[in-house]
Amino acid sequence: MLAAFPRFCLAVAATRMGIDRRGVTAIEYALIAALIAVAIVGAVSTLGSHLSVSFSGVASEL
């Protein structure tokens, strides 16, 4: 009986760590998604300005 108590405590602690671990994983995925979104916004912004210059050049030639 006395030997079962530490095993029970370890099982409860492992369960709690598992729940906390899932929260950490969700945060990591959210950070990765935010980083990807920032990269996409930066790329589209840069591409948009370059396209604007290109179309302005074509319009002035016409």
Side-chain angles (χ1 to χ4, degrees), residues 33-43:
L35 181 65
I36 290 171
V38 167
I40 289 172
V41 167

Side-chain angles (χ1 to χ4, degrees), residues 34-52:
L35 181 65
I36 290 171
V38 167
I40 289 172
V41 167
V44 168
S45 174
T46 303
L47 182 64
S49 65
H50 287 298
L51 282 176
S52 176

Side-chain angles (χ1 to χ4, degrees), residues 10-55:
L10 286 173
V12 169
T15 302
R16 286 183 183 163
M17 281 188 224
I19 292 171
D20 290 340
R21 188 99 170 118
R22 281 182 276 176
V24 170
T25 303
I27 292 170
E28 289 172 350
Y29 284 136
L31 289 173
I32 290 170
L35 181 65
I36 290 171
V38 167
I40 289 172
V41 167
V44 168
S45 174
T46 303
L47 182 64
S49 65
H50 287 298
L51 282 176
S52 176
V53 169
S54 296
F55 284 133

